[in-house]
């Protein structure tokens, strides 16, 4: 087992971590919603995204303006090429003032450059004053979350740390007591230290003012008591003016922890009065850290990452982070943005590990208040790194040689079906061939007859006779085509019954998402262009139906991107995009009347790409048509842990995520779980079968076909 | 103005502040009766009550200061804090009392932008304060008074609408 898998196992067996992350995941979603009451989150997000989306030239111009303004107010500005230069400069300022201690207010940029270790090596004692950061400093760890650095610890562990390191008496349960100890103990150091070090949350160019947010008040003291103040920051913190800065202050605490605003926002301009400085005014330094930022600023593929406001919310909603924590899903920067920043500011290989743990659920892109397409950036950076380390060959060849070719794909499915069936017949062989880690779900076998074959044989001939209420073009995707033909057939029967005709593509290739998620853009391009040939003209149908939201999202958001240089195909796709619907949306638009065939208590799992790709979840529809039988589940839009190849690469992580989903399902007492994604069905049904629970997992089409009468 | 003030008081209450709504005469009698209980007083718009002490490591018990503006959207007070002893008094007092006139309550965060721009043209330190100092760093359990005040009170002075 490699080192990463060992760390994963350690994280997964850490109960404190699991409980803390679980509580936080659930509470965060609720408080985030409350904090934004009265605001349109998507509007704010676009606004902030626009403010922070600057070209390299614009950003450097803001820097020059900022520099000029602070220098004229008595501050010094230093540009550090890398961590070493930044640390050297800071240490030399500390030495000049013979500062034995320095107090620090939490700064991710200081973490990034490894400042504490560097200062210690130079005989200077840094004291973290943010409680969480101080706790992990005592524990000699790195933050596991950007905003809540000690989220992985519980009160008992903190009490023990305090007893051991400070020699104080404190009960395991006494959080207030621990906070009092911190207040008393740290107060000394503000007055002992000659230098205070902080980061900045925003840097306003028009005046040269920085804004620092804290809840504890440690930022205000760190910047007030010592005679010297050093600010460590990156160019991404620069904004033009206060209007923009205030918009960022509006979203930052809300997104970070669901708090409306932080208790303190300290706005500092220049060298203010200082009682402890013999010159009567503060000595103020700004250390701007490059460390790869200038390259990132000019990179048209990835400069979006510079929009990040360091709220940490992408970690809050990430299913992998939610079971692993930031010491596995992160390096120094944690969570999804951490995966990206690590690849720019730190080690490549470490970055690749984190990137590979992305399950592609898009929750990060949805929550990001700066409108960063995190999910896409992660896939693309991962693709580049896989290429660099020669890991693309096997999967890449599967993508281009099998998934993009109709006949080969069909053949491969057939062979797969035969092999797996013979394995399945012998349970001994099956258990021998399935490593224990992978045996957490019962997987379906490919069917010997594909959906298209059955449809063409049994249903296609009668489509002309169907009452002409509308023409539906159905895009099956691999899962319905080879694993769950019955899901597609249920749908076709239902639609025929209410007067809609169904047609399918002549030939079937994969939608390309597996390649997209792996960042293999070349393979994705090939598959998608192949698709473009096989799709009908936009005028030939009224609805473009998908029963797999991942296929739907890929068609909707990526097909046009990869066919820009194919005028006819591009036009076809452009027209088609507007007609893409999932099943619940189509039925909702048809406005059918519904009757259940008896009492059936059901719940609904929202597939990731349903909400975050197609922007329509069946939940509202089902609640509307079957209000008496629907029970909502806790964290209904939390990923099931499938993530395609993710669940094969990291079965233990996939299982941990799935376990949470199944626990939520069980606590609803429903006997049926309805969802609208074959991937989710594979995962949830497989897990439920493995646990031997009497719960059915059905696609919406099967559920309606079986339990409901539509007219 | 009334709705702005109401919203400010609502948000201020939400972060745990004690809100005291008084008219000018009422506030003057608070000063007359309880003025002595404050270690530090700095009022910009009311003369004759300021009391300044130097604030060190041990901190002080009670500070009473006046804010320049308040922001209804977030329940925030905007306090000009460029004087270091003033900043120490407001950071190191156990209980912090903030005075704000109703005509100084703004609606949205952006409305303070011009003030910020004007005041930070030269060296300055401005603080937004929204409630008592707090942390949730241990098990996300909210605890007040980590480094700064454990308790905060807002005196909102209601003025006649012009």
């Amino acid at each position: 087992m490699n080192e990463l898998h060992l760390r994963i196992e350690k994280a997964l067996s850490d109960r404190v971590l699991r409980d803390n992350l679980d509580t936080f995941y659930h509470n965060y979603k609720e408080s985030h919603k409350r904090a934004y009451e009265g605001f349109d989150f998507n509007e704010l997000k676009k606004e902030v995204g626009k403010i922070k989306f600057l070209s390299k030239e614009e950003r450097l111009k803001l820097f020059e303006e900022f520099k000029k303004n602070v220098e004229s107010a008595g501050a010094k500005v230093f540009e550090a090429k890398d961590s070493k230069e930044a640390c050297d400069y800071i240490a030399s300022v500390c030495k000049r003032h013979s500062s034995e201690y320095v107090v620090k207010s939490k700064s991710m940029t200081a973490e990034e450059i490894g400042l504490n270790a560097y200062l210690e090596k130079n005989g200077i004692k840094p004291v973290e004053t943010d409680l969480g950061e101080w706790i992990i400093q005592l524990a000699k760890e790195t933050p596991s979350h950007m905003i809540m650095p000690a989220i992985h610890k519980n009160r008992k562990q903190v009490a023990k740390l305090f007893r051991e390191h400070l020699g104080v008496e404190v009960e395991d349960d006494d959080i207030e007591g621990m906070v009092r100890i911190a207040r008393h103990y740290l107060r000394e150091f503000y007055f002992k230290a000659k230098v205070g070090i902080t980061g900045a949350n925003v840097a306003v160019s028009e005046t040269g003012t920085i804004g620092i947010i804290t809840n504890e008040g440690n930022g205000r003291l760190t910047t007030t008591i010592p005679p010297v103040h050093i600010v460590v920051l990156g160019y991404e913190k620069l904004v033009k003016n206060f209007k923009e800065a205030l918009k960022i202050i509006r979203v930052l605490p809300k997104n970070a922890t669901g708090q409306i605003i932080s208790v303190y926002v300290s706005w500092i301009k220049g060298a203010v009065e200082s009682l402890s400085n013999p010159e009567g005014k503060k000595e103020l330094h700004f250390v701007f850290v490059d460390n790869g930022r200038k390259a990132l600023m000019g990179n048209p593929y990835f400069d979006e990452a510079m929009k990040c406001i360091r709220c940490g919310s992408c970690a809050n909603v990430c299913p992998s982070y939610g079971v692993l924590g930031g010491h596995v899903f992160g390096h120094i920067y944690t969570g999804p943005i951490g995966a990206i920043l690590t690849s720019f500011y730190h080690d490549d290989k470490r970055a690749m590990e984190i990137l590979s743990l992305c399950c592609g659920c898009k929750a990060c892109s949805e929550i990001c208040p700066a409108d960063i397409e995190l999910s896409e950036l992660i896939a693309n950076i991962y693709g580049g790194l896989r290429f660099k380390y020669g890991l693309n060959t096997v999967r890449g060849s599967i993508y281009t040689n099998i998934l993009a070719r109709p006949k080969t794909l069909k053949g491969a499915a057939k062979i797969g079906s035969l092999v797996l069936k013979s394995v399945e017949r012998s349970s001994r062989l099956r258990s021998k061939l399935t490593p224990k880690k992978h045996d957490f779900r019962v997987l379906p076998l490919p069917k010997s007859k594909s959906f298209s074959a059955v449809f063409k044989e049994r249903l296609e001939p009668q489509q002309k006779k169907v009452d002409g209420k509308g023409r539906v073009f159905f895009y099956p995707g691999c899962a319905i085509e080879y694993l769950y033909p019955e899901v597609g057939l249920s749908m076709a029967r239902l639609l025929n019954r209410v007067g809609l005709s169904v047609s399918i593509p002549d030939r079937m290739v994969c939608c390309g998402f597996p390649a997209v998620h792996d960042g293999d853009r070349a393979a994705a391009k090939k598959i998608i262009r192949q698709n473009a040939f096989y799709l009908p003209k936009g005028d030939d149908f009224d609805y473009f139906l998908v029963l797999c939201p991942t296929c739907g999202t890929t068609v909707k958001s990526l097909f046009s991107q990869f066919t820009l240089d194919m005028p006819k195909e591009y036009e076809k796709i452009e027209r088609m995009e507007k007609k893409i619907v999932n099943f619940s949306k189509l039925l909702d638009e048809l406005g059918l009347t519904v009757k259940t065939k008896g009492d059936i208590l059901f719940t609904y799992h929202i597939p990731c790409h349903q909400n975050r790709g197609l922007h329509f979840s069946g939940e509202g529809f089902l609640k509307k048509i079957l209000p008496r039988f629907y029970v909502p589940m806790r964290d209904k839009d939390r990923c099931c842990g499938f993530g395609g190849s993710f669940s094969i690469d990291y079965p233990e992580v996939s299982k941990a995520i799935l376990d949470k989903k199944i626990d939520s399902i069980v606590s609803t007492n429903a006997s049926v779980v309805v969802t609208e994604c074959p991937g989710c069905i594979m995962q949830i049904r497989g897990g439920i079968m493995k646990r031997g629970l009497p719960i059915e997992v059905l696609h919406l089409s099967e559920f309606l076909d079986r339990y409901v009468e539509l007219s | 103005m009334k709705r702005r003030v109401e919203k400010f008081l609502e948000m201020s209450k939400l972060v745990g502040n004690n809100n005291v709504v008084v008219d000018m005469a009422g506030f003057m009698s608070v000063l007359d009766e309880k003025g002595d209980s404050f270690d530090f007083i700095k009022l910009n718009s009311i003369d004759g009550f300021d009391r300044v002490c130097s604030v060190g490591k041990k901190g002080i018990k009670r500070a009473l200061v006046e804010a320049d503006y308040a922001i209804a959207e977030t329940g925030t007070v905007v306090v000009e804090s460029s004087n270091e002893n003033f900043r120490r008094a407001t950071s190191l007092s156990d209980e912090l009392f903030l005075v704000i006139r109703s005509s100084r309550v703004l609606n949205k965060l952006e409305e303070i932008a011009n003030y910020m721009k004007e005041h930070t043209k030269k060296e300055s330190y401005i603080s937004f304060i929204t409630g008592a100092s707090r942390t949730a760093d241990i098990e996300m359990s909210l605890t007040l008074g980590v480094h700064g005040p454990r308790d905060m009170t807002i005196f909102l002075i209601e003025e006649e609408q012009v």
Side-chain angles (χ1 to χ4, degrees), chain A residues 419-631:
Chain A
V419 173
L420 288 170
K421 264 188 190 145
S422 56
V423 171
E424 197 62 23
R425 267 197 289 274
S426 154
S427 60
R428 251 187 59 209
L429 193 57
R430 183 180 184 278
S431 62
K432 230 180 189 170
L433 286 178
T434 315
K436 197 162 167 282
K437 264 206 315 205
H438 289 267
D439 199 21
F440 66 97
R441 53 183 179 182
V442 180
L443 289 175
L445 297 173
K447 296 288 186 296
S448 43
K449 226 169 182 180
S450 70
F451 163 79
S452 298
V454 182
F455 180 84
K456 279 181 184 154
E457 198 180 293
R458 286 197 233 148
L459 293 169
E460 200 164 63
Q462 67 192 49
Q463 295 306 310
K464 283 192 200 93
K465 288 177 254 162
V466 175
D467 188 18
K469 282 195 186 148
R471 296 159 307 160
V472 173
F473 172 76
F474 171 54
Y475 183 85
C478 303
I480 306 280
E481 178 72 358
Y482 299 112
L483 295 172
Y484 300 115
E486 64 279 9
V487 169
L489 296 168
S490 295
M491 170 277 302
R493 276 196 300 270
L494 267 169
L495 289 183
N496 285 173
R497 235 179 280 151
V498 297
L500 280 88
S501 66
V502 177
S503 62
I504 61 168
D506 291 338
R507 275 185 284 186
M508 247 289 300
V509 289
C510 166
C511 70
F513 185 78
V516 170
H517 178 58
D518 255 356
D520 193 339
R521 290 177 70 85
K525 190 170 179 176
K526 193 167 173 195
I527 301 174
I528 287 171
R529 289 158 88 96
Q530 203 63 41
N531 265 289
F533 293 132
Y534 299 147
L535 292 175
K537 278 200 271 212
D539 314 326
D540 296 348
F541 52 85
D542 306 305
Y543 298 99
F544 184 104
L545 175 67
V546 285
L547 296 181
C548 168
T550 303
C551 296
T553 304
T554 311
V555 177
K556 194 170 182 158
S557 56
L558 296 171
F559 272 30
S560 51
Q561 214 186 90
F562 284 99
T563 48
L564 286 170
D565 54 353
M566 303 165 82
K568 289 278 178 272
E569 281 69 26
Y570 180 81
E571 190 196 345
K572 186 159 85 176
I573 286 159
E574 249 259 297
R575 279 191 207 189
M576 196 185 71
E577 273 172 10
K578 298 179 197 82
K579 297 183 178 176
I580 299 174
V581 285
N582 55 23
F583 201 40
S584 48
K585 180 153 193 225
L586 171 61
L587 296 175
D588 194 42
E589 282 183 14
L590 293 174
L592 304 167
T593 48
V594 181
K595 232 169 64 190
T596 53
K597 303 176 188 166
D599 279 1
I600 175 86
L601 212 57
F602 74 97
T603 185
Y604 185 79
H605 159 70
I606 305 179
C608 295
H609 297 165
Q610 183 93 295
N611 244 6
R612 303 177 197 120
L614 298 176
H615 306 294
F616 187 90
S617 120
E619 195 208 4
F621 167 69
L622 284 166
K623 224 179 345 193
K624 191 167 72 187
I625 63 164
L626 299 165
R628 285 200 303 126
F629 306 101
Y630 172 69
V631 217

Side-chain angles (χ1 to χ4, degrees), chain A residues 6 26 31 39 139 142 171 253 271 285 312 318 351 448 501 585-586 588 644 711:
Chain A
L6 283 174
H26 183 71
S31 49
F39 291 101
T142 55
E171 296 288 324
H285 300 263
C318 169
S448 43
S501 66
K585 180 153 193 225
L586 171 61
D588 194 42
S711 51

